[in-house]
Each structure stands twice: as C-alpha cells, then as structure tokens.
Amino acid sequence: MTERIECQTPGCSATILPATAAKTGGYCMPCHQEQQREEQRIFIEQNRKEVDLYEEITDPVEVLRIMHTSRRYDPLIEYVPYPLNREQLYTALSLEEAERMQAYALELLEAGDEDTATEILASLVCYSGKLLDNCWLELMEQNVYNPAILFKDAPPSIRNLLLEKVEIHSGNRNPLLLALAWIGDEAVVQQFLEWRRAAPEWAQELYVTPERYAQEAGWELTAAGERRDLFARKNYAMERMDAPLEAGDQASEAFVTVSHQQCPWCGGQLTTLVELQKGHPALKEIAWDGERLAVDTCVICGSYSVIYMEVDPAGTPFWSKHNQRPDYLPDINLDDYGQDYLAAGPLLSTAESPRNTYHSAVWGIDPIVSQIGGHPSWVQDAEYPVCPCCSHTMSFIAQLDWGQLEEYGEGIYYMFSCAKDRITATLYQQS
Ligand SMILES: [Zn+2]
Ligand SMILES: [Zn+2]
Ligand SMILES: [Zn+2]
C-alpha cells in the first residue's frame, strides 16, 4: 500500500498520494485549488483596468448606443458606469434625438439584431412615451410585432393595415391582435365589439375571444361596448433606499408589514403589502375612494391563488368570504418559509413625482418594477381578477417586485381594487 502524505496547509487534515503531492507541491486538491483562486484574484486586482466608455461623449444618443451594446465579460476590465441611467437618458431625449434612436434601431433591425432594436424602441415608448412614427411600416415589413406596445398610438393608416392583415394572416393573428389592442382607438373598439357580436370564423383558433386581447394593453370592452382603462395614468415608483427614513417622515405610507390577522388556509400571519394613508398623492390617482388603503395578502398562499380582502369603512382589511381555497394548494409547513422580506419594507418609499405611465409595461426592460399606479408589468399573460361582488373586472392599483425585497427574490405581486365594493385582490406571477 502506498503511504499517504499529510497536506502542507497548517490545520488541514487531508492526506494525499505522493503522485498528487508531486503535482501540487505537497497540498491536497482543495487547498491547491484555493491557492490558485487566490493567485488569480490577486492577479486580477493588480492588473484590472478601469475603462470609461463614455469619456468625452456628450451626445445622449451615442451614450445610449454604447449602453445597448453588449460586451463580453472580461475580469480584467472594470467599466465605469455612466452617471445617468437609461430611464433618465430616454426621458431627456429631444424629438430629434429620439428620431436618431429610432433610425439606429432600424439599422440594427436591418442587420438582424432584432433583440437590441426592439429593446431600444420599447425603451423609447415605455420610458419617454415617444411615438415610433418612423418605424411602424418597417416593423410590419420585417414582421416584428413583439413587444406589441411598439404599436401604441399608431395612426389610422397603420391600424387599417393591421385590421386587413388580421383577416388574412392565419399564422400571425396573435401578435396582430395585440398590436391592435395597443392602438385601442375608437375603430379598434368598434371592431372588437363587432367581433364580440359575431365571432369571426378564425376566432376559434384563439385561446381567448378577440376582444379579450384588450386586457394585454390595459383596457377592456365593457358590457355597453365602450373602452374602459384598467389602470391609473400616474405611476409612482416604489424605490428602495439604503436606510429607512426617520420615523414620522414616512407616516403616510408603509410597505410589507405584518398584518393583524392570520391566513385561514396556512395559519401564517398575513402581510400588508401596501398601506397608504388619506392624503397620500398616489392614493388620489388609483381606483379607491381616497381614504386609507391597506392591501393584505398571504405571501405563501397568495402565490398559488387570487386572494380577496374586504376593507371596512376605517380602512382595515379582512379576509373575504369569497376566497376559495384551491384544490392544488399544497400542505404548508410554516417553518419552511422565512420572513426576511419584512426587513426590506421600511426601506421602500414612493418617488416624489410620477414616472411615465408605461414605464414597466414591458417586463424585463427595467430590472425592478415596484410601483403604485401605471400599467402593470405582466410576467405572464395579463390577468385582471373579477370582483366577486359585482363581477366587474378589477382595476390594477400597484405591484411589488419581490426582487426588491430579497436577494434571490423573484416574481411580482399585483394588487387590484373594486372601489365600489371596497374589495382588494392580489395575485402573483413569476417567470
Ligand atoms: Zn489541504
Ligand atoms: Zn396562507
Ligand atoms: Zn365590485
């Protein structure tokens, strides 16, 4: 039997074969690898260069072009971040600069880089509400309809082309209907209404009725045949600060706190996701009657099912009798669920002024999308719950991005209301 040798690292109890020792200088493999990693780390630290891609660049279009260019990761290069973020740059673009961005996106599209092209165009629409008037024909020519918000506010000429296409292009109806929903003008509303009265033959190929596509663009066709928006125009970001505000400063709002009651399904304590007091600027904008609003849910069961809460006149939410425990809800052991997310609540604060309504309408453009009001960021298909009292579609009021609360948190909690019946609802989506 070959005699084994002790590893050279003081305190390491591993023993190794002489052949290994010859290769590693007397160290066991884990110690040897650790040494190599350390050497690599020191090498990188001593040789890493700072690179400022934006040095002496003042043209915001050029800055954005650099930002949208992906670079291979190189541990020896540390890129200096630009002092402004994408949202700030896009919102400050002049009309002429926005046109140059559109032209650049079309160049990329021509060259086959559809992902970057649509990312730029979606940023123009979502961050700054700019019209893509130079792009619609080209996008249709190239068969690019995703994300459909690129067609938002397109004029009658484009809408008519889309309406023609929808009748003839059987393989492409889904994106065409989405684009029409985003245009959502009077003619689209009329057409959706006609399709509801007499379903076209091709409607049976769809998973939902044609007029249901409206919800993907944040509106619905009412029973009376009118357009009704399902969200508030003003969009207040919920930002995460480094430290909680001084007590008192935050009196008009609170986020992610422990509620006064328990979940009847799992026995855990409910969580108040958002609480706004009377007079809060964001509260005036959303579908609520202006008094205190608190949206409760069970953050365990609520990821499986819509959860309704009934809010009493004082603004206190209670578990609704309309909640129906889904059959697929698993047996829940509360010990399996941590509560680290509660620590982030005091760090959240609503922005002083609203951002663009559609800032987060394309999920993935902005990595963090918590907000009150505005258009929701659907991770999956749009899903507006129905009020269990009046059977109307509930309005979107807020969303909380779990990625903002926990290091490995993911998914979004969406919040809805029926102001008339004083009912709130939550649902959860993740990728
Ligand atoms: Zn060792
Ligand atoms: Zn529960
Ligand atoms: Zn209702």
Side-chain angles (χ1 to χ4, degrees):
M1 210 178 89
T2 324
E3 203 178 318
R4 294 180 71 95
I5 306 167
E6 278 182 20
C7 168
Q8 291 287 303
T9 310
C12 179
S13 58
T15 59
I16 49 173
L17 293 170
T20 310
K23 263 187 278 177
T24 63
Y27 295 95
C28 73
M29 264 342 249
C31 286
H32 180 60
Q33 284 163 348
E34 182 53 39
Q35 282 170 357
Q36 286 182 317
R37 273 195 294 273
E38 183 60 14
E39 279 166 24
Q40 173 79 353
R41 196 188 60 76
I42 291 167
F43 178 80
I44 289 171
E45 211 176 75
Q46 288 171 347
N47 292 280
R48 187 165 42 201
K49 281 202 247 346
E50 270 203 346
V51 174
D52 186 356
L53 297 166
Y54 307 103
E55 209 179 341
E56 287 175 37
I57 292 177
T58 52
D59 177 9
V61 172
E62 196 49 44
V63 170
L64 281 168
R65 284 171 65 137
I66 295 169
M67 276 187 187
H68 280 288
T69 307
S70 52
R71 275 170 203 86
R72 212 156 44 99
Y73 173 71
D74 183 341
L76 292 179
I77 296 180
E78 194 177 347
Y79 291 108
V80 180
Y82 193 73
L84 300 177
N85 64 29
R86 286 188 189 189
E87 182 192 10
Q88 291 165 322
L89 282 159
Y90 272 105
T91 45
L93 290 181
S94 69
L95 220 52
E96 183 264 339
E97 287 159 348
E99 279 180 4
R100 284 169 56 215
M101 274 321 279
Q102 288 187 57
Y104 176 55
L106 290 181
E107 256 174 56
L108 292 170
L109 195 61
E110 197 74 27
D113 186 358
E114 188 180 319
D115 287 351
T116 314
T118 52
E119 185 183 49
I120 289 171
L121 295 178
S123 303
L124 279 166
V125 175
C126 295
Y127 290 153
S128 61
K130 296 278 193 307
L131 290 181
L132 302 183
D133 33 4
N134 298 331
C135 301
W136 291 312
L137 282 174
E138 187 64 26
L139 289 169
M140 290 178 75
E141 186 89 359
Q142 306 262 354
N143 230 350
V144 175
Y145 294 101
N146 188 26
I149 197 175
L150 300 185
F151 286 84
K152 194 167 99 60
D153 301 323
S157 57
I158 297 292
R159 174 245 293 153
N160 289 341
L161 283 173
L162 289 166
L163 283 171
E164 275 170 37
K165 274 177 178 276
V166 126
E167 294 295 345
I168 41 179
H169 288 260
S170 58
N172 225 2
R173 268 189 195 109
N174 214 42
L176 293 170
L177 288 166
L178 288 172
L180 283 167
W182 274 108
I183 293 174
D185 62 6
E186 191 47 41
V188 171
V189 173
Q190 278 310 311
Q191 183 60 73
F192 279 16
L193 183 59
E194 271 171 46
W195 283 332
R196 183 165 75 189
R197 284 186 186 133
E201 210 168 293
W202 46 259
Q204 51 195 345
E205 301 160 17
L206 308 170
Y207 290 107
V208 293
T209 55
E211 82 269 13
R212 186 59 197 269
Y213 280 77
Q215 288 202 5
E216 295 290 336
W219 59 281
E220 68 168 354
L221 192 62
T222 62
E226 281 159 356
R227 175 184 165 130
R228 177 187 160 230
D229 284 354
L230 299 170
F231 62 95
R233 297 272 141 188
K234 290 216 170 134
N235 177 346
Y236 289 88
M238 268 183 239
E239 293 164 341
R240 187 178 164 136
M241 304 168 295
D242 296 329
L245 293 175
E246 300 279 313
D249 287 0
Q250 226 177 348
S252 71
E253 60 182 33
F255 303 104
V256 200
T257 52
V258 180
S259 168
H260 64 103
Q261 53 185 322
Q262 279 181 326
C263 170
W265 294 348
C266 70
Q269 209 70 21
L270 295 184
T271 303
T272 305
L273 296 178
V274 168
E275 184 175 354
L276 303 176
Q277 302 297 340
K278 191 172 182 165
H280 191 289
L283 187 56
K284 289 193 217 99
E285 308 299 332
I286 55 179
W288 200 247
D289 62 8
E291 294 167 42
R292 169 175 179 261
L293 169 70
V295 183
D296 276 15
T297 196
C298 171
V299 298
I300 301 170
C301 304
S303 64
Y304 295 93
S305 163
V306 173
I307 289 185
Y308 297 105
M309 300 295 293
E310 294 172 29
V311 183
D312 78 2
T316 308
F318 292 93
W319 185 265
S320 168
K321 56 186 178 297
H322 297 287
N323 285 322
Q324 290 187 332
R325 190 183 199 282
D327 295 335
Y328 53 80
L329 193 75
D331 286 332
I332 285 160
N333 179 1
L334 292 175
D335 294 336
D336 295 342
Y337 296 87
Q339 290 199 305
D340 292 350
Y341 55 87
L342 289 171
L347 300 176
L348 296 179
S349 165
T350 46
E352 239 162 73
S353 44
R355 59 188 182 185
N356 195 43
T357 307
Y358 297 94
H359 176 102
S360 318
V362 180
W363 180 68
I365 286 196
D366 184 337
I368 293 289
V369 291
S370 297
Q371 67 191 39
I372 300 168
H375 190 283
S377 327
W378 298 111
V379 179
Q380 313 281 348
D381 289 343
E383 205 181 341
Y384 290 85
V386 167
C387 172
C389 289
C390 66
S391 302
H392 286 128
T393 311
M394 296 178 81
S395 295
F396 171 80
I397 51 174
Q399 63 188 19
L400 193 57
D401 192 328
W402 222 249
Q404 204 171 13
L405 304 184
E406 292 187 285
E407 192 178 354
Y408 299 106
E410 58 169 333
I412 298 175
Y413 264 98
Y414 305 86
M415 290 159 253
F416 308 86
S417 69
C418 175
K420 180 172 71 71
D421 294 314
R422 306 191 59 82
I423 287 193
T424 67
T426 65
L427 62 84
Y428 173 83
Q429 288 186 351
Q430 68 178 90
S431 57

